[in-house]
Amino acid sequence: MTDSARSGVPVVIAAPSGTGKTTIARTLVERFDRFVFSVSATTRPPRESERDGVDYRFVSEEEFERMRVEGELIEWAEVHGYAYGTPRSALDAAGSGAHVVLDIDVQGAAQIRELVPNAVLIFLLPPSGSVLLARLRGRGTEATEVVIRRLKGSRGELHRARDFDHVVVNDDLERAIREVVAIVDGVPDGVEGVTDLDQEVIRLQSEIDAVLKEGV
């Protein structure tokens, strides 16, 4: 299937924290005109490099609750103690033929699946537990206890990979981007995929267990 045949498909990219979903989502938008980024609303405080209205729409808990109650969010979830949600207006670009890239968590992805049946759901896997830890540490913005909490959350989210249309291993950024583009363009020959997803999930969970046991 060609890209034009799938004009305006919402693309959900979800992954355990630290896998690189935001990097891939941003790169797609920067390199290809046919992709636009969906800016989520969140109650999380911005990191040093983040800009309001560009990376996220940073709102108070009261404002987020108002948006939720008044139906302004197509999906929302609480992740690591903060609320995240996708404004309904974020999908407007799909009507103009662009692929709207949603960088969201697994809970939000499930909601999008119910509300937007034609959405393409892609789950990213890290290559290993140690790489996941290194990426979380590399942010340099979170305390050790936060990194531990994110690792534990990531372990639990891995089994949700089975609920997605496609799985991509982010062991090499360029290859992962090529695979995501191939999926959206409907060119399955360009996707390596995962041979045995259940075994891969078990392996990653075991490696995360080992990392947690050794100490972060």
Side-chain angles (χ1 to χ4, degrees):
M1 185 179 294
T2 64
D3 183 48
S4 59
R6 299 185 67 169
S7 178
V9 175
V11 180
V12 174
I13 299 179
S17 181
T19 303
K21 67 181 185 299
T22 300
T23 298
I24 288 178
R26 286 295 186 185
T27 303
L28 288 172
V29 173
E30 291 169 1
R31 292 187 184 178
F32 306 98
D33 291 340
R34 63 185 185 276
F35 291 96
V36 296
F37 189 71
S38 166
V39 180
S40 298
T42 183
T43 59
R44 173 174 70 73
R47 298 182 180 125
E48 186 175 346
S49 62
E50 293 177 329
R51 294 169 294 169
D52 184 40
V54 176
D55 297 288
Y56 285 96
R57 178 181 171 187
F58 297 99
V59 301
S60 65
E61 292 182 1
E62 293 75 15
E63 174 63 6
F64 191 95
E65 180 63 10
R66 183 199 65 76
M67 295 173 70
R68 186 190 69 79
V69 171
E70 295 185 7
E72 293 183 16
L73 302 175
I74 193 170
E75 62 83 20
W76 73 278
E78 184 172 323
V79 184
H80 304 303
Y82 298 108
Y84 294 79
T86 300
R88 291 183 179 275
S89 58
L91 297 183
D92 289 347
S96 64
H99 299 304
V100 181
V101 181
L102 286 75
D103 167 14
I104 59 180
D105 75 296
V106 294
Q107 299 176 63
Q111 295 175 53
I112 292 295
R113 165 59 77 215
E114 292 184 6
L115 296 171
V116 190
N118 71 323
V120 177
L121 273 57
I122 302 172
F123 192 90
L124 300 180
L125 288 178
S128 68
S130 59
V131 168
L132 189 63
L133 172 61
R135 289 174 179 172
L136 288 171
R137 278 177 169 172
R139 290 175 174 175
T141 59
E142 295 163 336
T144 299
E145 58 267 25
V146 176
V147 173
I148 292 173
R149 185 168 71 245
R150 288 185 179 277
L151 275 173
K152 290 180 177 179
S154 295
R155 187 194 187 286
E157 289 177 341
L158 285 169
H159 77 278
R160 298 292 296 275
R162 305 180 185 91
D163 300 331
F164 286 68
D165 302 318
H166 306 275
V167 175
V168 171
V169 179
N170 187 18
D171 55 351
D172 176 87
L173 179 61
E174 292 301 321
R175 186 183 65 79
I177 291 170
R178 287 196 301 270
E179 291 200 0
V180 170
V181 172
I183 288 168
V184 177
D185 287 354
V187 187
D189 290 344
V191 182
E192 183 175 322
V194 178
T195 303
D196 190 329
L197 181 57
D198 289 341
Q199 286 301 313
E200 183 67 7
V201 167
I202 291 172
R203 179 184 69 81
L204 288 170
Q205 289 178 328
S206 297
E207 290 182 358
I208 291 174
D209 289 340
V211 167
L212 290 169
K213 185 175 181 179
E214 292 173 3
V216 175

